[in-house]
Amino acid sequence: MTDGVVERSRPRDRILETAQDMFHKHGIKGVGVDAITEAAGTNKMTLYRHFESKDELIIECLRATAAKTARIWDEFEARHPGDKLAQLHAWVQKASEMLSADCRGCDMANAAVELSETDHPARRVIKELKEAQREKLVALCRDAGVGQAELLADTLSLLLEGARVSMQSVGAEGPSAQFVRMAEGLIASFRSR
Amino acid sequence: MTDGVVERSRPRDRILETAQDMFHKHGIKGVGVDAITEAAGTNKMTLYRHFESKDELIIECLRATAAKTARIWDEFEARHPGDKLAQLHAWVQKASEMLSADCRGCDMANAAVELSETDHPARRVIKELKEAQREKLVALCRDAGVGQAELLADTLSLLLEGARVSMQSVGAEGPSAQFVRMAEGLIASFRSR
DNA sequence: TCTGGAAGTTACAGACCGGTAACACCCTAG
DNA sequence: CTAGGGTGTTACCGGTCTGTAACTTCCAGA
């Protein structure tokens, strides 16, 4: 008697999921609320009953994306329980998989680029979420027994961030193609120190 | 009798310079042609007499920015003639200086993020210009006597690209603060191999 | 069966967008 | 002095954007 899990979920969930997808593919300023609601099989009034503005919707989308990323980290722990070094290698592997041909980069970084107004409400959220992710990676490096865990984590961060944006300018055959080699080389280098 | 160099330059030049500045600060989709022409002290008709469309103006702006970057490279050669290793260190130094507090990142990378349409005419130009810059850095690394010059150049590329985008999400106190240490460490590591 | 709230529909406001037409102006080269 | 090209001005087109109003429909729970 209950509706289908995906197709017939509640309008709010459909809007959120559709908006995430469309913001990711076409950029925030490249998608209007009309297009989102239509793709979500609903209408504009319903959107504005659940989200007080487009900015609020953007923020909720970023939070949802961050939550998805957090679930991937749980997967690392589940697959390699207690083995932090293995989890770090899994992180590299997972990161490289995100560098597929049609990669559109990190939603939060892209949003920061698009929303250039320094007082945009989404900026605070982006900073918070990114800082949380940074701390997680630092903790992983430290628990993996690497010296200078902060430096390794930050270097890996920048490499991935760079790879994701580089893909969008020069494509998958550019510098980002060497991401795994760079990251593994770095980890090895930091561990032997 | 000739006009002042900056204030009274020709409309086309003023438009180009103003557009570069405004695109950089507010993003491409965040600036309309009206705002550009007004800031340039001219009007929309004059803009469209010199550029056939906004897209064309965007492309000319990207070319102009790339030309400015090329001039910085000439500076390296002028300051350290023949000493490619010193030029590589100068590149790191210059790159770190671009990571100031209000850094808005690389115009080409930002444009690639904003212009998500895969067939946008600016995308070809971005790819060409970025590939040219990559080849320059590879050549510099090779001429500096570094083994695996391509890998070092690509790693430095990704680090810088990542630092410039990271600044916009988490600010200057984030991972990008360690850019110089990372880059110099990499260069030393590659040279001692 | 009745009721109340969630959702859909249509229309609209007000602003901004890229781009064009028509015309007046000024300054310089001949 | 004059002709003409570059420039400025104003008005406009059709479209899109976020956000709202007023109304209808539907459906679940009492």
Side-chain angles (χ1 to χ4, degrees), chain B residues 120-189:
Chain B
H120 194 287
R123 292 204 147 265
R124 260 194 74 245
V125 180
I126 292 170
K127 190 171 181 188
E128 285 172 12
L129 296 172
K130 275 284 181 189
E131 278 171 352
Q133 289 183 1
R134 181 194 187 190
E135 279 172 28
K136 271 180 137 177
L137 190 58
V138 169
L140 184 55
C141 289
R142 182 165 28 236
D143 295 346
V146 178
Q148 303 191 84
E150 290 88 355
L151 188 58
L152 175 58
D154 284 349
T155 310
L156 291 174
S157 271
L158 292 195
L159 273 185
L160 177 56
E161 205 86 79
R164 298 182 85 177
V165 67
S166 165
M167 291 222 35
Q168 300 180 69
S169 358
V170 291
E173 283 76 30
S176 63
Q178 305 297 323
F179 173 77
V180 174
R181 222 211 302 184
M182 299 171 187
E184 290 296 346
L186 271 170
I187 294 173
S189 160

Side-chain angles (χ1 to χ4, degrees), chain A residues 33-34 44-45 48 54:
Chain A
V33 290
D34 282 306
K44 198 157 49 168
M45 272 313 305
Y48 280 102
K54 186 185 180 182

